[in-house]
Amino acid sequence: MTESPVTAPSAPIDAVYSMIVVSNRLPVDYVEGPDGETLWRTSPGGLVTALEPIMKQSDGAWIGWAGVADREFDPFENDGISIVPVPLSAAELEDYYEGFSNDTLWPLYHDVIAPPTYHREWWDAYVRVNRRFAEAAARAADVGAVVWVQDYQLQLVPQMLREVRPDLVIGFFNHIPFPAYGIYSQLPWRRQVLAGLLGADVIGFQRAADAGNFSRAVRRLFGYATRGTIIEVPDADGEVRRVVARHFPISIDTESFEELAARTEVQARAKEIREGLGNPKTIMLGVDRLDYTKGIRHRIKAFGELIRDGRLSVEDAVLVQVASPSRERVETYRQLRDEIELQVGRLNGDYSTLSHQAVSYLHHGYPREEMAALYLAADVMLVTALRDGMNLVAKEFVACTGDNDGVLVLSEFAGAADELKQAILVNPHDIEGLKDAIIEAASMPKRERARRMRALRRRVREYDVARWSASFLDTLTGSASVVPGVPDSLDSALSRLADTDRLLVALDFDGTIAPHVDRPEEARALDGARAGILSLLALPDTRIAFVSGRALESLAEVSEAPEGVLLTGSHGIELRLGASEVELDLLSHELDNLGELSRMLGALTDGVDGAWLERKPAGLALHTRLMPPAAGAALQTKVRADVEAALPDLTVRGGKNVVEFAVRAGNKGDALLRLKQHTGATAVFYAGDDETDEDAFAVLGDGDVGVKIGRGKTLAGHRVRGPEEIVEVLERLSAKRSGRP
């Protein structure tokens, strides 16, 4: 942490920024110096670590509250980041933050573990403060800037921003859970909060289940169409805006924790901690904010019963519980502290000896160095949250366990349980099950401890906080650079995918396994792609499919598909599954629309050099690849406007130098789901290069792998440069699935 004096400017800085983060708190804490001067201490949180390099690189600003009520501060710069403080009064702090944020939303979003309180004046303060944050962001944002709003205190900001600055690219990340509709529906202002969030272009959640809960709430309350991770939000002009709602599990700065744990002084401090506790055989550690969602009482109860029943002894085992102070002005939290301290006191009074305490209870916050030493000293980490968005403590423990000699007991209700599968997963409400898990952890053989911890460390290293922020911003902006070759993250994903029981490999054709050409009828798959496909086809329980926007007849001709390859054409309207083919039986009004569409497009493109029409069973596509880019774009714009005015019920899709019109709706996502059902696949690989492939990426599940070819916004989890890299991907997947080195 750093602390430096700041000279406040005489007037607010008049500047705009291309990248803005908006959060309840700033990345710096206000400190009053000994002579009354203003000092700022950099916050040590993972969010700051993740975003600091991005902010510096992109001329970014951070907007938030300075941490002290009834004080206004002018904007200033701290360590290369522009800081824009937003003031809060003591009354707003009480109503907006302690009230609505932490006594209404927090318990509601954590499955009503404690009862939420609903007050209209709290809601009014929440609206008022959210608007102040939105106005600050609108003033500070350059034209077309990226604004990333953080967490549940500011859920109304995205919509408020979009109303006044529709040019902005807006993202939102929810760091806590999002509840099922039956719970969420209790909120009196449920529609307003959803509308606020839907102002964002991308809404991120910790778990796939949270994103699903959000999408279901949107369907129930607004009736908007959802497809996979896409929500179609109509605006006032009748246009549909596609909002992405998906999970981006947050992580930690793994490298910094590993470096911290490797320091000589930290390792020496870990030995001191063990000696100070009497060198017990097993040190169990709990590290939490003092919060009713963390399951601290359940953990202490289970440990106490193990001591009582003689399955553990105070000479051999101690529980160290760090409970950092939290929201002590909220009555629920004051009561919780009293209950836990009474529970610890009774347990120590009943079972501690002069030389050994049963529970070492520490109601303090500690610096990172001390926390790293505690993680090193511990043998078993107990994370027994009743509901948690992620729980980064679990990941911090794993990162610090450099000798692979520790065991993580992890609640299945923490978001980290989705990733840290080699932990001992528990239901903390099941006290008997929790007790058995603690004994299993304490008695686990060293070889098994090391095996599990190695797997956990690989996961935490690979998916660190930098990857989290890069993944979110890539989805939000599509600006990620694409380097040659196959990224390590994709190679690791292929290794996991190769182990699935029944694999479906689905591939777009043009631009994915076949380079784009000026004359589409001359397109052919790369020789290496065909070889990789044949290699995969030869493996058991492995199916291949081509998923294309081409008419099925055209796809079959240019792909020269090997026997056994499944084909879908016209964006899923046509499917050839084995020897059978789905026939199109257009209704009379669809046939009429198709005739009118053909007449209109013919008239609009007649005599235009470089423009040509591709006829499909249920529509037509206008290709402008051979036209100058500006002229092609202008023609597409005019054609779209004229056709949509005359035939408003058609499905319209844009692609690379092509705009397509269909009289019957279909998309690659629906086609992929049909293929997955037909093949019985347990996991799917999908690769594509076009906007139409986003429908397929949207329906991929947790165990699936999506690869975007080239740049641009995408829902795919991975990205490569071109078809040549897809050849290498297919070769690697085939080798991994067949067990070849």
Side-chain angles (χ1 to χ4, degrees):
M1 293 186 293
T2 60
E3 188 173 298
S4 56
V6 172
T7 302
S10 57
I13 298 173
D14 183 17
V16 291
Y17 306 91
S18 60
M19 171 74 186
I20 292 175
V21 170
V22 186
S23 64
N24 177 64
R25 288 294 297 270
L26 289 169
V28 291
D29 297 322
Y30 166 79
V31 179
E32 186 172 316
D35 298 323
E37 73 270 29
T38 295
L39 301 177
W40 298 98
R41 180 184 294 123
T42 301
S43 303
L47 184 64
V48 179
T49 304
L51 298 182
E52 183 178 37
I54 300 168
M55 302 287 283
K56 291 179 178 179
Q57 181 181 354
S58 60
D59 181 33
W62 199 305
I63 294 174
W65 176 51
V68 56
D70 295 317
R71 286 286 303 272
E72 293 197 25
F73 300 95
D74 289 328
F76 61 93
E77 185 174 301
N78 181 78
D79 196 21
I81 299 176
S82 296
I83 303 295
V84 182
V86 174
L88 289 179
S89 68
E92 287 169 339
L93 184 62
E94 183 176 349
D95 290 346
Y96 143 78
Y97 182 71
E98 295 173 351
F100 195 79
S101 294
N102 291 325
D103 210 10
T104 300
L105 293 176
W106 179 270
L108 182 74
Y109 281 28
H110 286 84
D111 291 351
V112 198
I113 294 169
T117 305
Y118 304 112
H119 290 305
R120 284 169 289 183
E121 59 269 25
W122 288 1
W123 166 253
D124 292 341
Y126 187 80
V127 173
R128 186 168 62 253
V129 171
N130 270 245
R131 189 166 300 283
R132 186 176 307 148
F133 275 82
E135 289 170 349
R139 287 193 302 269
D142 200 353
V143 175
V146 174
V147 180
W148 191 0
V149 184
Q150 306 288 332
D151 223 359
Y152 65 105
Q153 300 97 342
L154 301 174
Q155 293 177 106
L156 307 183
V157 169
Q159 182 195 39
M160 292 173 172
L161 259 180
R162 187 163 295 282
E163 288 173 351
V164 296
R165 292 290 305 274
D167 61 296
L168 299 177
V169 179
I170 304 170
F172 181 91
F173 188 78
N174 194 56
H175 291 258
I176 68 172
F178 194 90
Y181 181 74
I183 293 175
Y184 179 76
S185 62
Q186 299 175 30
L187 183 66
W189 306 277
R190 57 196 184 185
R191 291 179 63 89
Q192 294 95 314
V193 169
L194 290 186
L197 291 170
L198 289 171
D201 297 292
V202 176
I203 308 168
F205 299 90
Q206 300 281 25
R207 310 181 82 165
D210 296 327
N213 287 342
F214 175 79
S215 294
R216 281 187 286 275
V218 169
R219 288 197 300 271
R220 291 286 296 271
L221 290 173
F222 292 103
Y224 295 162
T226 63
R227 185 173 62 255
T229 58
I230 298 293
I231 300 172
E232 297 182 349
V233 180
D235 62 20
D237 299 326
E239 294 291 321
V240 173
R241 189 167 54 86
R242 289 159 58 102
V243 174
V244 176
R246 55 161 287 198
H247 70 302
F248 300 85
I250 197 171
S251 193
I252 61 170
D253 182 7
T254 307
E255 185 177 350
S256 73
F257 275 97
E258 289 180 337
E259 291 175 353
L260 199 59
R263 291 183 190 173
T264 303
E265 64 273 21
V266 172
Q267 294 180 353
R269 175 59 184 146
K271 291 180 181 178
E272 288 179 5
I273 291 171
R274 289 197 73 96
E275 291 171 0
L277 292 169
N279 282 316
K281 180 181 176 182
T282 305
I283 295 177
M284 300 183 186
L285 176 64
V287 175
D288 312 88
R289 277 191 313 103
L290 189 59
D291 193 287
Y292 49 77
T293 65
K294 302 299 183 181
I296 301 172
R297 288 173 293 190
H298 298 65
R299 179 185 317 159
I300 295 172
K301 179 177 177 63
F303 182 78
E305 289 188 9
L306 289 171
I307 299 290
R308 181 198 67 193
D309 298 341
R311 298 174 70 184
L312 291 175
S313 70
V314 291
E315 289 79 16
D316 290 336
V318 61
L319 171 61
V320 178
Q321 177 60 59
V322 177
S324 57
S326 174
R327 302 168 186 165
E328 295 193 305
R329 290 171 40 151
V330 179
E331 178 60 27
T332 308
Y333 288 80
R334 289 199 295 265
Q335 292 176 3
L336 177 66
R337 178 180 178 181
D338 291 343
E339 291 171 12
I340 289 176
E341 291 179 352
L342 179 62
Q343 189 181 15
V344 170
R346 284 177 174 170
L347 183 55
N348 280 334
D350 288 342
Y351 301 111
S352 293
T353 67
L354 288 174
S355 54
H356 293 90
Q357 265 193 316
V359 179
S360 178
Y361 175 74
L362 307 164
H363 185 57
H364 309 290
Y366 289 97
R368 279 163 48 98
E369 292 80 4
E370 185 73 358
M371 291 310 307
L374 276 167
Y375 293 142
L376 281 173
D379 302 291
V380 177
M381 185 80 210
L382 300 178
V383 177
T384 56
L386 307 180
R387 190 77 164 93
D388 217 338
M390 177 52 61
N391 195 288
L392 296 180
V393 162
K395 296 186 176 184
E396 291 172 2
F397 172 73
V398 169
C400 288
T401 310
D403 59 0
N404 295 326
D405 196 16
V407 183
L408 173 63
V409 176
L410 177 61
S411 167
E412 62 192 57
F413 304 122
D418 290 352
E419 301 177 82
L420 305 182
K421 301 292 189 182
Q422 295 300 318
I424 299 176
L425 298 180
V426 297
N427 173 3
H429 298 283
D430 175 10
I431 300 298
E432 289 299 325
L434 179 55
K435 288 159 60 177
D436 290 342
I438 292 173
I439 294 298
E440 179 186 355
S443 59
M444 185 177 291
K446 184 171 184 177
R447 185 173 180 179
E448 177 66 7
R449 296 199 301 266
R451 183 191 69 80
R452 287 174 178 254
M453 188 54 69
R454 279 195 299 270
L456 293 172
R457 285 174 62 78
R458 279 196 302 271
R459 178 72 187 190
V460 171
R461 277 177 176 158
E462 183 179 347
Y463 292 89
D464 64 0
V465 72
R467 178 165 175 173
W468 166 77
S469 60
S471 174
F472 186 95
L473 290 171
D474 183 16
T475 302
L476 182 62
T477 67
S479 62
S481 61
V482 189
V483 297
V486 178
D488 291 342
S489 59
L490 175 53
D491 186 74
S492 298
L494 294 176
S495 296
R496 291 189 293 273
L497 188 72
D499 291 334
T500 196
D501 291 338
R502 292 183 297 280
L503 175 63
L504 170 63
V505 177
L507 304 162
D508 173 44
F509 186 77
D510 296 281
T512 298
I513 59 174
H516 284 292
V517 293
D518 290 340
R519 297 177 61 84
E521 66 272 16
E522 296 176 356
R524 292 295 183 272
L526 294 172
D527 290 341
R530 291 187 63 82
I533 288 165
L534 289 170
S535 178
L536 284 163
L537 275 173
L539 299 177
D541 296 315
T542 306
R543 304 298 302 273
I544 309 293
F546 295 160
V547 182
S548 177
R550 287 176 178 263
L552 195 142
E553 183 179 356
S554 170
L555 175 63
E557 180 179 345
V558 299
S559 71
E560 300 172 340
E563 184 178 354
V565 172
L566 309 175
L567 299 179
T568 77
S570 303
H571 301 290
I573 294 177
E574 302 175 283
L575 294 93
R576 181 176 293 166
L577 307 176
S580 64
E581 182 176 328
V582 175
E583 295 290 338
L584 282 178
D585 184 18
L586 297 181
L587 302 175
S588 59
H589 76 276
E590 292 173 329
L591 289 169
D592 291 342
N593 285 343
L594 187 57
E596 178 63 13
L597 174 66
S598 179
R599 186 197 64 77
M600 286 189 66
L601 290 185
L604 289 166
T605 59
D606 186 37
V608 179
D609 290 340
W612 62 277
L613 297 175
E614 178 189 2
R615 299 187 180 276
K616 300 186 176 186
L620 284 91
L622 166 63
H623 292 268
T624 59
R625 185 178 302 279
L626 302 181
M627 297 179 66
L635 177 62
Q636 285 195 26
T637 299
K638 175 172 176 50
V639 167
R640 286 187 73 145
D642 288 0
V643 171
E644 289 176 354
L647 300 168
D649 295 331
L650 298 190
T651 298
V652 184
R653 296 186 189 87
K656 291 182 178 178
N657 301 303
V658 62
V659 59
E660 302 185 38
F661 304 91
V663 299
R664 177 171 293 179
N667 65 72
K668 292 180 178 179
D670 293 339
L672 189 59
L673 291 175
R674 176 76 181 275
L675 288 167
K676 185 173 183 180
Q677 180 184 36
H678 174 76
T679 59
T682 52
V684 175
F685 173 91
Y686 186 86
D689 74 313
D690 211 329
E691 182 180 335
T692 60
D693 295 301
E694 294 303 311
D695 291 320
F697 294 137
V699 301
L700 293 178
D702 278 349
D704 302 331
V705 175
V707 179
K708 162 80 172 179
I709 292 87
R711 300 184 67 168
K713 293 175 66 172
T714 185
L715 296 173
H718 305 275
R719 192 189 292 270
V720 297
R721 190 171 61 171
E724 293 77 11
E725 279 78 10
I726 289 297
V727 170
E728 186 176 351
V729 167
L730 295 175
E731 290 172 350
R732 292 194 190 189
L733 182 57
S734 177
K736 292 173 187 292
R737 189 151 175 82
S738 63
R740 300 195 311 272

